[in-house]
Amino acid sequence: MLKRSVDDFACGGGSPLFDEALVVGRPPIPSRDALLKRIEAVLDSGHLTNDGPMVHEFEEQLGRRLQVPHVIAVCNGTVALQVMALAAGLTGEVIVPSMTFIATAHALQWVGLTPVFADVDPDNHTLDAASVERCINERTSAILGVHLWGNPCDVTALQQIAERHHLKLLFDASHAFDCEHNGRPIGGCGNAETFSFHATKVMHSIEGGAITTNDDNIAERCRLLRNFGIAGLTQIDSLGTNAKMNELSAAAGLTSLESLDSVVQHNQRNLNHYRSVVDAVPGLKLALPDAQECRNAQYVVVTVDETNFGLSRDHLLTVLRAEGVFARSYFAPGCHNAPPYAGISQHTPTTLPVTNHLLEVVLQLPTGVTVSETEIHQIGRLLQSAHQHAAQLQEHLNVRPAAWHPQDTARPQPVRQLDAA
Ligand code: T4K
């Protein structure tokens, strides 16, 4: 339905565009038959976890796809970061972007390292080399880049800095499965990289993650750290933890890999539809990734220019969410503004102007296999109407604080339910 006045918008009392919320991160469900077959094989084998055959096969297939000799599957992407950091022998401070999911920073802090936040590039939202240089001191042991939204970092520039200062170079590739850098799959950059196979990712094992590396020593250390430091039946080699991926997760991962290409194709088509609808709205801009490199098209990232659009990013989020478009403001408030890092100069020794700006203007729109072309065009018309009625919406939202504030912890639920509350 066309929104012709503020009263037609759900935040103004009208009917929501979608009864069931469209979300960022609805998991692609792999083939039930194939998954159930694998689950039966696991149950029949009696080998449920600990170095089982499904995990081995998953690691082998990942290694082939990512063209990397070592893949160490673990229970999630956060633990993958922790294991990688310890295996690479990091100490003291590690330079990371603040513009990332909080897990990147927390994983380091959890193992006794100090995340130090550098700024990002305004176009591809990954670590800015000059800002990284400003954060280096005698305590720095590594740079940990994040291929945010699947955009590869400027690996060459970071490599040069790392070599010049004798630092390790690591990457959080949680968003970048099936993405490329200089024609090679992400997974083999720097000393090591990590992936998340959380349910919300293009390829997932429900919960899961992996460390990938070309370095035999780091790989060996990861394998030990993953399993309590146990080297033999009665031989404990070192400190370790339980980071193991179980067989059912590996079964889900293997099945998800089989549908990855069709998921990625759907995402790419969605991104193209969004390109036409978003670019037609004044003040909105699709932060377009390099289609060759950022193949998975997992995130549809939009910047909101308040002056030209008429509403701030947060007000637009409020309008969209009331309509059942559960857009996100990843990764507000930004790691440097969140506990336990906020206000501590050791974590933020330099200014982060680009990060601070992006945290206020970017939003992510729903995509994935459950979002259709028709729905994207409906979202486009909604964005146009919101722009056309921006002044009245602004007035309305300033008077009536919205029920779905972007900073609330509410999960998307049927809009009718929320209205009744
Ligand atoms: N580094 C980076 C750069 C990361 O982005 C992440 C994780 C990590 C490290 C750590 O990896 P893991 O330890 O998580 O493997 C999500 C995910 O929990 C997180 O994995 C992800 N990044 C982050 C970007 O997003 P939320 O809280 O925003 O998502 P969640 O669980 O609310 O799901 C999003 C929407 O998807 C929901 O509104 C409902 C829907 N959904 C979700 C799940 C899990 C479903 O429909 N079904 C489901 O099973 O954090």
Side-chain angles (χ1 to χ4, degrees):
M1 177 198 139
L2 263 180
K3 311 276 176 184
R4 296 177 201 281
S5 74
V6 173
D7 298 343
D8 286 340
F9 284 85
C11 65
S15 305
L17 188 57
F18 299 105
D19 279 346
E20 198 176 327
L22 303 180
V23 301
V24 177
R26 179 83 69 210
I29 306 295
S31 154
R32 274 161 210 257
D33 286 348
L35 178 56
L36 291 175
K37 227 166 139 186
R38 284 198 171 94
I39 290 175
E40 281 188 2
V42 171
L43 298 178
D44 289 345
S45 79
H47 199 152
L48 304 187
T49 186
N50 207 354
D51 219 16
M54 285 285 169
V55 166
H56 279 190
E57 194 186 336
F58 189 41
E59 290 180 339
E60 260 173 47
Q61 289 206 20
L62 291 174
R64 271 203 296 280
R65 184 146 192 142
L66 303 179
Q67 297 172 28
V68 72
H70 301 292
V71 177
I72 300 96
V74 293
C75 52
N76 62 56
T78 306
V79 166
L81 285 162
Q82 293 166 344
V83 168
M84 174 176 74
L86 293 179
L90 306 195
T91 57
E93 299 186 357
V94 180
I95 299 169
V96 292
S98 169
M99 186 71 194
T100 179
F101 188 53
I102 196 71
T104 314
H106 278 357
L108 297 172
Q109 180 86 4
W110 195 265
V111 295
L113 296 162
T114 303
V116 170
F117 302 115
D119 212 357
V120 291
D121 177 90
D123 294 323
N124 86 344
H125 305 181
T126 65
L127 272 180
D128 172 67
S131 179
V132 168
E133 291 253 30
R134 284 196 291 278
C135 294
I136 296 174
N137 64 39
E138 64 288 352
R139 295 181 297 277
T140 311
S141 68
I143 302 165
L144 172 58
V146 179
H147 305 302
L148 201 75
W149 325 130
N151 290 327
C153 293
D154 186 345
V155 177
T156 311
L158 296 176
Q159 189 79 53
Q160 283 167 0
I161 298 172
E163 279 168 16
R164 206 171 330 119
H165 295 273
H166 309 291
L167 304 175
K168 292 269 167 29
L169 179 61
L170 303 166
F171 293 97
D172 177 343
S174 293
H175 296 184
F177 194 81
D178 212 39
C179 295
E180 292 187 356
H181 177 257
N182 281 351
R184 285 187 63 85
I186 293 285
C189 302
N191 299 97
E193 307 205 53
T194 61
F195 289 91
S196 163
F197 305 138
H198 181 256
T200 52
K201 301 289 186 278
V202 270
M203 196 284 288
H204 71 84
S205 57
I206 302 179
E207 289 277 3
I211 303 121
T212 56
T213 180
N214 293 302
D215 184 317
D216 298 348
N217 291 328
I218 291 182
E220 183 54 27
R221 294 268 309 130
C222 285
R223 291 197 181 95
L224 281 168
L225 285 163
R226 168 175 72 173
N227 189 27
F228 312 103
I230 294 175
L233 273 185
T234 55
Q235 187 189 346
I236 313 300
D237 187 78
S238 61
L239 181 72
T241 187
N242 180 356
K244 298 187 300 290
M245 174 178 276
N246 69 66
E247 289 289 282
L248 295 181
S249 277
L254 282 165
T255 316
S256 181
L257 264 180
E258 286 166 357
S259 55
L260 175 67
D261 290 340
S262 68
V263 172
V264 166
Q265 279 162 19
H266 191 99
N267 281 354
Q268 287 171 343
R269 281 196 297 275
N270 277 1
L271 187 62
N272 280 334
H273 296 309
Y274 269 123
R275 191 196 307 248
S276 60
V277 304
V278 170
D279 284 351
V281 185
L284 299 187
K285 193 164 167 272
L286 206 57
L288 261 188
D290 178 330
Q292 285 292 97
E293 299 220 303
C294 182
R295 280 173 32 83
N296 71 24
Q298 179 168 228
Y299 291 99
V300 174
V301 184
V302 173
T303 56
V304 183
D305 171 353
E306 182 173 354
T307 311
N308 289 323
F309 181 70
L311 291 174
S312 68
R313 187 274 312 271
D314 284 356
H315 274 153
L316 176 56
L317 280 182
T318 303
V319 172
L320 290 173
R321 288 179 183 187
E323 300 291 345
V325 180
F326 205 85
R328 299 294 296 259
S329 53
Y330 287 138
F331 285 105
C335 298
H336 69 294
N337 290 320
Y341 318 108
I344 300 175
S345 60
Q346 194 185 0
H347 290 297
T348 315
T350 185
T351 55
L352 306 175
V354 178
T355 300
N356 285 328
H357 176 67
L358 291 175
L359 289 169
E360 285 186 3
V361 300
V362 293
L363 61 78
Q364 295 72 35
L365 291 168
T367 189
V369 289
T370 57
V371 177
S372 68
E373 175 182 353
T374 309
E375 287 165 335
I376 292 171
H377 286 281
Q378 285 175 290
I379 293 172
R381 284 193 289 279
L382 176 62
L383 292 169
Q384 276 289 2
S385 305
H387 166 65
Q388 280 155 10
H389 298 93
Q392 301 94 304
L393 283 166
Q394 173 84 57
E395 205 175 302
H396 178 79
L397 293 169
N398 279 337
V399 177
R400 263 188 51 184
W404 290 31
H405 190 275
Q407 280 166 5
D408 72 15
T409 54
R411 287 201 153 220
Q413 32 184 301
V415 177
R416 273 182 252 103
Q417 222 176 303
L418 216 120
D419 285 345

Coordinates of all heavy atoms in Angstrom, one line a residue, residues 162-191:
A162 N 53.1 -4.1 8.8 CA 53.4 -5.2 9.7 C 54.9 -5.5 9.5 O 55.6 -5.7 10.5 CB 52.5 -6.4 9.4
E163 N 55.3 -5.6 8.3 CA 56.8 -6.0 8.1 C 57.7 -4.9 8.6 O 58.7 -5.2 9.3 CB 57.0 -6.2 6.6 CG 56.5 -7.6 6.2 CD 56.5 -7.8 4.6 OE1 57.1 -7.0 3.9 OE2 55.8 -8.8 4.2
R164 N 57.4 -3.7 8.4 CA 58.2 -2.6 8.8 C 58.4 -2.6 10.3 O 59.4 -2.3 10.9 CB 57.7 -1.3 8.3 CG 58.7 -0.2 8.2 CD 58.2 1.1 7.5 NE 57.2 0.9 6.5 CZ 56.0 1.5 6.6 NH1 55.6 2.2 7.6 NH2 55.0 1.3 5.6
H165 N 57.3 -2.9 11.0 CA 57.3 -2.8 12.5 C 57.4 -4.2 13.2 O 57.2 -4.3 14.4 CB 56.0 -2.1 13.0 CG 56.0 -0.7 12.6 ND1 56.5 0.3 13.3 CD2 55.4 -0.1 11.5 CE1 56.3 1.5 12.7 NE2 55.6 1.2 11.5
H166 N 57.7 -5.2 12.4 CA 57.8 -6.6 12.9 C 56.6 -7.0 13.7 O 56.7 -7.5 14.8 CB 59.1 -6.7 13.8 CG 60.3 -6.2 13.1 ND1 60.8 -6.9 12.0 CD2 61.0 -5.1 13.3 CE1 61.9 -6.2 11.6 NE2 62.0 -5.1 12.3
L167 N 55.4 -6.8 13.1 CA 54.2 -7.2 13.7 C 53.5 -8.4 13.0 O 53.8 -8.6 11.8 CB 53.2 -6.0 13.7 CG 53.6 -4.7 14.3 CD1 52.6 -3.6 14.0 CD2 53.9 -4.8 15.8
K168 N 52.7 -9.1 13.7 CA 51.9 -10.2 13.1 C 50.8 -9.5 12.4 O 50.3 -8.4 12.8 CB 51.4 -11.2 14.1 CG 52.5 -12.0 14.8 CD 52.6 -13.3 14.0 CE 53.8 -14.1 14.3 NZ 54.4 -14.1 15.6
L169 N 50.3 -10.1 11.3 CA 49.1 -9.6 10.6 C 48.1 -10.7 10.5 O 48.3 -11.7 9.9 CB 49.5 -9.1 9.2 CG 48.4 -8.6 8.3 CD1 47.8 -7.3 9.0 CD2 48.9 -8.2 6.9
L170 N 46.9 -10.4 11.1 CA 45.9 -11.4 11.2 C 44.6 -10.7 10.7 O 44.5 -9.5 10.6 CB 45.7 -11.8 12.6 CG 46.9 -12.4 13.3 CD1 46.7 -12.4 14.8 CD2 47.2 -13.7 12.8
F171 N 43.6 -11.6 10.3 CA 42.3 -11.0 9.8 C 41.1 -11.7 10.4 O 41.2 -13.0 10.6 CB 42.3 -11.1 8.3 CG 43.3 -10.2 7.6 CD1 44.5 -10.7 7.2 CD2 43.0 -8.9 7.4 CE1 45.4 -9.9 6.6 CE2 43.9 -8.0 6.8 CZ 45.2 -8.5 6.4
D172 N 40.1 -10.9 10.7 CA 38.8 -11.5 11.1 C 38.0 -11.4 9.8 O 37.6 -10.4 9.3 CB 38.2 -10.6 12.1 CG 36.8 -11.0 12.5 OD1 36.2 -11.8 11.8 OD2 36.3 -10.5 13.6
A173 N 37.8 -12.6 9.2 CA 37.1 -12.8 7.9 C 35.7 -13.3 8.1 O 35.1 -13.9 7.2 CB 37.9 -13.7 7.0
S174 N 35.1 -13.0 9.3 CA 33.8 -13.5 9.6 C 32.8 -13.2 8.5 O 31.8 -13.9 8.3 CB 33.3 -13.0 10.9 OG 34.1 -13.5 11.9
H175 N 32.9 -12.0 7.9 CA 31.9 -11.6 6.9 C 32.3 -12.0 5.4 O 31.6 -11.7 4.5 CB 31.8 -10.0 6.8 CG 31.2 -9.5 8.1 ND1 31.0 -8.1 8.3 CD2 30.9 -10.0 9.3 CE1 30.5 -7.9 9.5 NE2 30.5 -9.0 10.1
A176 N 33.5 -12.6 5.3 CA 34.1 -12.7 4.0 C 34.2 -14.1 3.4 O 35.1 -14.3 2.6 CB 35.4 -12.0 4.0
F177 N 33.4 -15.0 3.8 CA 33.4 -16.3 3.2 C 33.0 -16.2 1.8 O 32.0 -15.5 1.5 CB 32.5 -17.3 4.0 CG 32.8 -18.7 3.6 CD1 33.9 -19.4 4.1 CD2 32.1 -19.4 2.6 CE1 34.2 -20.7 3.7 CE2 32.4 -20.6 2.2 CZ 33.5 -21.3 2.8
D178 N 33.8 -16.8 0.9 CA 33.5 -16.7 -0.6 C 33.8 -15.4 -1.2 O 33.4 -15.1 -2.3 CB 32.1 -17.1 -0.9 CG 32.0 -17.8 -2.2 OD1 32.9 -18.6 -2.5 OD2 31.0 -17.6 -3.0
C179 N 34.6 -14.6 -0.5 CA 35.1 -13.3 -1.0 C 36.5 -13.5 -1.5 O 37.2 -14.5 -1.2 CB 35.0 -12.2 0.0 SG 33.2 -11.8 0.4
E180 N 37.0 -12.5 -2.2 CA 38.4 -12.6 -2.8 C 39.2 -11.4 -2.5 O 38.7 -10.3 -2.3 CB 38.2 -12.8 -4.3 CG 37.6 -14.1 -4.7 CD 37.6 -14.2 -6.3 OE1 38.1 -13.3 -7.0 OE2 37.2 -15.3 -6.7
H181 N 40.5 -11.6 -2.6 CA 41.5 -10.5 -2.6 C 42.5 -10.8 -3.7 O 43.2 -11.8 -3.7 CB 42.1 -10.3 -1.2 CG 43.1 -9.2 -1.2 ND1 44.5 -9.4 -1.3 CD2 42.9 -7.9 -1.2 CE1 45.1 -8.3 -1.3 NE2 44.2 -7.3 -1.2
N182 N 42.6 -9.9 -4.6 CA 43.6 -10.0 -5.7 C 43.4 -11.4 -6.4 O 44.4 -12.1 -6.7 CB 45.0 -9.9 -5.2 CG 45.4 -8.4 -5.1 OD1 44.7 -7.6 -5.5 ND2 46.6 -8.2 -4.4
G183 N 42.2 -11.8 -6.6 CA 41.9 -13.0 -7.4 C 42.1 -14.3 -6.6 O 41.9 -15.4 -7.1
R184 N 42.4 -14.2 -5.3 CA 42.5 -15.4 -4.5 C 41.5 -15.3 -3.4 O 41.2 -14.3 -2.8 CB 43.9 -15.5 -3.9 CG 44.9 -16.0 -4.9 CD 46.3 -16.3 -4.3 NE 46.2 -17.4 -3.3 CZ 46.3 -18.6 -3.6 NH1 46.5 -19.0 -4.9 NH2 46.3 -19.6 -2.7
P185 N 40.9 -16.5 -2.9 CA 39.9 -16.5 -1.9 C 40.5 -15.9 -0.6 O 41.6 -16.2 -0.2 CB 39.6 -18.0 -1.7 CG 40.1 -18.7 -2.8 CD 41.2 -17.9 -3.4
I186 N 39.7 -15.1 0.1 CA 40.0 -14.7 1.4 C 40.2 -16.0 2.3 O 39.4 -16.9 2.1 CB 38.9 -13.8 2.0 CG1 38.7 -12.5 1.3 CG2 39.0 -13.6 3.5 CD1 39.8 -11.5 1.6
G187 N 41.1 -16.0 3.1 CA 41.4 -17.2 3.9 C 42.9 -17.4 4.0 O 43.4 -18.0 5.0
G188 N 43.7 -16.9 3.0 CA 45.1 -17.1 3.0 C 45.9 -15.9 3.2 O 47.1 -15.8 3.0
C189 N 45.3 -14.8 3.7 CA 46.0 -13.5 3.9 C 46.7 -13.5 5.2 O 46.3 -14.1 6.2 CB 45.0 -12.3 3.8 SG 44.1 -12.2 2.3
G190 N 47.8 -12.7 5.3 CA 48.5 -12.5 6.6 C 49.0 -13.8 7.2 O 49.2 -14.8 6.5
N191 N 49.2 -13.8 8.5 CA 49.7 -15.0 9.2 C 48.5 -16.0 9.4 O 48.8 -17.2 9.4 CB 50.3 -14.6 10.6 CG 51.5 -13.7 10.4 OD1 51.4 -12.5 10.6 ND2 52.6 -14.3 10.1

